[in-house]
């Protein structure tokens, strides 16, 4: 194989190496883009133009900045504290049950196209994570250590991601489905409708639901084990220092 | 027909908010790198405020070059570690508990308003025009609706807490600073994807695969497509960017033309295999790194760590689903 066929791939090892060496990702991506463009012989001006055009056209990706002020304001006035107090009034609420309920609602609504019904900034930080954390605090007390709180919060973020990713492609007007449809049409495959692509997303969507639900059924027990392990170190440590 | 709330006007709003944050950062003596942090966000905000203006006055080619150069400066500021957190006036835990007792469950109201108004506007204002003017951008309907919802929620929060919108932006600065460069990574990856398409990376992938894999082995090619989608998505941070490269490189020549696979399940499951990669990569910053910052997790990779078992199991399931559903 000629070496010129490998040149367009040069960006891939740069991204992998840059990340492994813990350089700042913005810098890594810029270097990978510049190297790939220059390697295949684009002139620098055209390359800059591609950079600028793509950046300008993907500004929608920054719209979550609009949500932060209202969340910041509500949190300043005790939104998280309220969410936790509310959960503690529901005796049967556990971290895992709250996350499971959220997962099902989120995947179901995403499949109907209601993608903005949730999200990391608008639901996970102000509501879901404090509620899941509040349920655990309710069960194990206010002194619940940070690493267990972090684990619960990370699960809340994961629930939102997984539920929305694998729900959204069922909805035929979603960007990914339209992108696949456009790809097939561009390549001369004309007899496929977005509806078909949406239907064939269902088996994976159901598998994601089953797999993640199974993991969540074990979460409460896993939190209990973490708490017990932590309590064991708490009772041990004074002896060490004595 | 003209439109009241266009996507470009939403960009101006974002630009204005970012510029207010820049002014606050400049005045923040508690931030050791306030000048460079402010410059980073100023350049970012400038693309939102003046991007369209530049295109109108300089023409597309020149304007995009200027913005491309700006983006490189932005990445240099972040890459050389010139961003830092500032100091922020926040309420104490006791104050927040007291205020949450006073306001009760009404505190949820503005937060719930965001999704409810977004959905309501998306459904009710589609195609609605008043006096020959569309109310919302019809091409970016949900985004325009989200913007309306944020403004509604902000007004509701303003009335409820008697705090001002400016105070809201002030409170959001800590969130924005803790997210930092990760807020811009998705836009940069879109940029890298554009370069890859221009460089015809997909053709190279196809040549490399045909060199090492026997294209007659249907199952193996399915594995390569699914795992390749996941891996390339991890590099690109985005399944949308990986999809055209891997599908043109592997799915189309080997599976659709070579083995007569049914295209609909093939691409649907292929894209979902990419999503499994999205769950496992820090490059998908707005899903994996931004939430870790938003939730103030000590380990910024913890969300990824939690997602890996589901992602790997699902990727395996996808390989078999594709093998059995695309070749019935």
């Amino acid at each position: 194989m000629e070496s010129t066929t490998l040149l367009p791939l040069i960006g891939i090892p740069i991204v992998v190496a840059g990340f492994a060496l813990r350089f700042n990702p913005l810098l890594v991506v810029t270097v990978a883009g510049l190297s790939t463009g220059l390697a295949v012989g684009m002139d620098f001006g055209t390359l800059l133009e591609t950079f600028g055009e793509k950046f300008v056209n993907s500004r929608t990706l920054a719209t979550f900045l609009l949500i932060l002020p209202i969340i910041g304001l509500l949190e300043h006035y005790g939104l998280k504290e309220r969410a936790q107090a509310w959960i503690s009034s529901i005796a049967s609420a556990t971290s895992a049950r709250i996350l499971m309920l959220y997962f099902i609602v989120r995947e179901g609504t995403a499949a109907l196209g209601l993608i903005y019904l949730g999200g990391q900034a608008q639901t996970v930080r102000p509501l879901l994570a404090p509620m899941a954390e509040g349920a655990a605090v309710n069960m194990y007390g206010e002194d619940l250590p940070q690493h267990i709180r972090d684990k619960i919060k990370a699960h809340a973020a994961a629930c939102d991601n997984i539920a929305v990713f694998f729900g959204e492609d069922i909805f035929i007007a979603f960007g990914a489905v339209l992108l696949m449809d456009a790809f097939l049409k561009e390549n001369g495959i004309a007899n496929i409708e977005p509806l078909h692509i949406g239907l064939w997303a269902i088996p994976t969507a159901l598998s994601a639901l089953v797999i993640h639900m199974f993991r969540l059924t074990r979460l409460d027990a896993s939190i209990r084990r973490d708490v017990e392990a932590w309590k064991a170190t708490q009772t041990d440590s004074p002896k060490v220092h004595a | 027909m003209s439109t009241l709330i266009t996507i470009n006007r939403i960009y101006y709003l974002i630009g204005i908010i970012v510029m207010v944050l820049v002014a606050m950062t400049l005045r923040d003596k508690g931030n050791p790198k306030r000048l460079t942090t402010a410059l980073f966000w100023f350049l970012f905000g400038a693309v939102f405020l003046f991007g369209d203006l530049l295109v109108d006055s300089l023409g597309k080619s020149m304007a995009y070059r200027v913005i491309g150069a700006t983006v490189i400066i932005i990445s240099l500021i972040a890459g050389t570690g010139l961003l830092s957190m500032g100091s922020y006036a926040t309420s104490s835990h006791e104050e927040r508990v007291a205020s949450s007792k006073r306001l009760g469950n009404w505190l949820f109201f503005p937060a719930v308003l965001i999704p409810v108004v977004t959905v309501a506007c998306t459904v009710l204002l589609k195609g609605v025009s008043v006096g020959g003017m569309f109310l919302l951008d019809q091409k970016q309907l949900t985004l325009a609706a989200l913007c309306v919802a944020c403004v509604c929620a902000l007004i509701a929060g303003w009335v409820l807490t008697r705090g001002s919108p400016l105070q809201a932006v002030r409170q959001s600065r800590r969130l924005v600073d803790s997210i930092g460069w990760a807020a811009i990574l998705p836009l940069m990856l879109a940029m890298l994807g554009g370069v890859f398409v221009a460089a015809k990376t997909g053709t190279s992938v196809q040549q490399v695969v045909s060199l090492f894999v026997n294209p007659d082995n249907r199952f193996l090619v399915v594995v390569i497509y699914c795992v390749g989608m996941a891996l390339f998505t991890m590099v690109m941070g985005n399944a949308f960017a990986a999809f055209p490269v891997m599908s043109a490189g592997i799915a189309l020549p080997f599976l659709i033309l070579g083995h007569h696979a049914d295209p609909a399940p093939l691409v649907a499951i292929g894209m979902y295999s990419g999503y499994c990669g999205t769950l496992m990569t820090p490059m998908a910053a707005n899903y994996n790194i931004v939430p870790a910052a938003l939730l103030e997790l000590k380990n910024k990779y913890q969300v990824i760590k939690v997602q890996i078992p589901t992602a790997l199991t699902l990727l395996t399931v996808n390989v078999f689903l594709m093998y059995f559903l695309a070749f019935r």
Side-chain angles (χ1 to χ4, degrees):
Chain A
M1 181 163 58
E2 295 189 22
S3 63
T4 49
T5 58
L6 288 177
L7 286 177
L9 298 173
I10 196 164
I12 298 169
I14 291 176
V15 170
V16 173
F19 189 74
L21 297 172
R22 292 175 180 262
F23 286 116
N24 179 282
L26 292 193
L27 200 60
V28 172
V29 169
T30 306
V31 171
L34 288 175
S35 319
T36 305
L38 295 176
V40 299
M42 286 168 79
D43 74 74
F44 191 66
T46 317
L47 193 53
L48 274 186
E49 209 175 309
T50 311
F51 271 31
E53 183 183 359
K54 292 294 167 184
F55 196 85
V56 166
N57 290 342
S58 49
R59 282 178 292 179
T60 51
L61 292 169
T63 38
F64 74 94
L65 288 171
L66 281 177
I67 302 164
L68 299 181
I70 180 64
I71 299 301
L73 183 71
L74 294 176
E75 285 188 355
H76 186 71
Y77 286 95
L79 180 67
K80 281 187 178 176
E81 286 72 11
R82 188 67 224 166
Q84 298 191 339
W86 185 66
I87 279 299
S88 68
S89 68
I90 302 170
S92 60
T94 70
S95 305
R97 283 182 197 158
I98 292 165
L99 294 181
M100 285 158 118
L101 180 66
Y102 182 82
F103 190 98
I104 292 170
V105 173
R106 181 84 165 118
E107 192 174 3
T109 51
L112 298 174
L114 305 176
I115 289 152
Y116 291 102
L117 207 54
Q120 299 291 350
Q122 62 265 53
T123 32
V124 177
R125 164 155 174 145
L127 299 170
L128 182 65
M131 284 180 182
E133 189 186 340
V137 166
N138 208 21
M139 202 170 285
Y140 302 110
E142 274 294 340
D143 58 346
L144 194 68
Q146 196 59 44
H147 73 273
I148 299 177
R149 290 172 187 257
D150 278 5
K151 173 175 165 166
I152 296 169
K153 291 197 268 183
H155 266 282
C159 262
D160 189 79
N161 281 340
I162 296 168
V164 75
F165 284 2
F166 297 101
E168 66 191 6
D169 279 8
I170 297 174
F171 180 63
I172 53 168
F174 180 63
V177 179
L178 301 180
L179 177 76
M180 290 185 258
D181 185 52
F183 173 83
L184 292 178
K185 293 214 166 43
E186 265 170 41
N187 287 287
I189 297 161
N191 56 342
I192 307 287
E193 291 300 317
L195 182 67
H196 299 131
I197 301 175
L199 283 176
W200 287 115
I202 293 174
T204 303
L206 290 176
S207 309
L209 181 76
V210 170
I211 292 167
H212 204 68
M213 279 295 143
F214 175 73
R215 288 189 60 206
L216 286 176
T217 55
R218 299 155 62 105
L219 181 63
D220 281 332
S222 151
I223 293 170
R224 179 175 301 120
R225 277 197 302 277
D226 286 352
V227 170
E228 278 160 12
W230 166 71
K231 280 192 176 144
T233 60
Q234 289 304 97
T235 47
D236 285 350
S237 51
K239 288 176 204 155
V240 178
H241 292 293
Chain B
M1 194 147 86
S2 62
T3 303
L4 183 63
I5 298 172
T6 61
I7 196 74
N8 299 69
R9 286 179 185 156
I10 294 175
Y11 294 149
Y12 293 144
L13 182 61
I14 295 174
I16 291 166
I17 291 176
V18 172
M19 290 308 177
V20 174
L21 292 171
V22 168
M24 287 170 177
T25 300
L26 278 176
R27 290 172 54 196
D28 180 4
K29 297 279 186 327
N31 186 334
K33 294 166 185 168
R34 66 192 166 105
L35 292 179
T36 44
T37 305
L39 179 64
F40 176 89
W41 288 107
F42 172 80
L43 292 175
F44 179 69
V47 175
F48 283 79
L49 270 186
F50 309 120
D52 298 316
L53 199 69
L54 272 181
V55 172
D56 288 344
S57 57
L58 298 177
K60 279 191 173 171
S61 170
M62 199 57 212
Y64 288 152
R65 283 178 195 213
V66 171
I67 293 166
T70 308
V71 172
I72 292 178
I73 298 172
I74 290 176
S75 79
L76 282 175
I77 295 173
T80 47
L82 293 173
L83 291 183
S84 67
M85 298 282 291
S87 57
Y88 315 91
T90 52
S91 48
S92 71
H93 180 67
E94 287 69 30
E95 281 168 350
R96 290 198 298 272
V97 170
S99 125
S100 78
K101 285 209 175 109
R102 180 169 57 87
L103 299 167
N105 285 345
W106 279 105
L107 261 175
F108 295 131
F109 179 69
V112 172
L113 218 48
I114 299 177
V116 171
V117 173
T118 306
V119 172
C121 287
T122 311
V123 176
L124 300 176
L125 296 183
K126 186 180 168 69
V128 171
S129 60
V130 173
M133 186 190 253
F134 279 121
L135 291 178
L136 299 181
D137 200 315
Q138 297 298 304
K139 281 184 199 144
Q140 300 274 7
L141 194 60
T142 41
L143 222 51
L146 180 68
C147 177
V148 172
C150 285
V151 173
C152 289
L154 200 55
I155 293 169
W158 181 9
V159 172
L160 181 74
T161 65
R162 300 194 190 91
S164 68
L166 194 66
Q167 189 190 10
V169 176
R170 193 178 303 133
Q171 293 303 326
S172 72
R173 187 165 65 96
R174 197 164 70 99
L175 292 172
V176 173
D177 274 354
S178 63
I179 295 167
W181 55 261
I184 295 175
L185 186 56
L187 288 82
M188 303 279 288
L189 286 163
M191 219 171 76
L192 183 62
V195 176
F196 275 5
V197 170
K200 298 200 168 41
T201 304
T203 318
S204 294
V205 169
Q206 180 187 347
Q207 281 163 336
V208 171
V209 168
S210 63
L211 208 67
F212 295 105
V213 177
N214 174 8
D216 294 334
N217 188 336
R218 185 188 282 176
F219 185 73
L220 195 61
V221 180
V222 166
V223 172
I224 301 235
Y225 180 45
C226 289
V227 175
M229 267 301 292
L231 286 177
F232 203 58
T233 299
M234 289 174 75
V235 171
M236 297 296 301
N238 186 339
F240 288 13
F243 180 78
V245 173
M246 296 307 286
S247 298
I250 300 174
L252 195 65
F254 300 125
L255 292 171
I256 296 179
L257 298 177
H259 287 283
H260 310 290
D262 182 352
L266 192 75
V267 293
I269 299 169
M271 182 67 96
Y272 268 162
S273 303
Y275 287 11
C276 294
T278 312
L279 294 173
M280 299 189 283
T281 177
M283 287 292 168
N286 48 351
Y287 297 111
N288 298 336
I289 302 296
V290 168
L294 279 175
L295 297 170
E296 291 157 89
L297 303 183
K298 221 170 106 197
N299 177 356
K300 66 178 180 200
Y301 302 126
Q302 195 161 1
V303 177
I304 297 174
K305 222 178 96 188
V306 164
Q307 288 172 168
I308 284 176
T310 300
L312 288 180
T313 316
L314 196 54
L315 185 59
T316 313
V317 169
N318 274 341
V319 167
F320 288 99
L321 282 176
M322 184 183 285
Y323 186 71
F324 290 111
L325 295 177
F327 303 99
R328 281 158 297 145

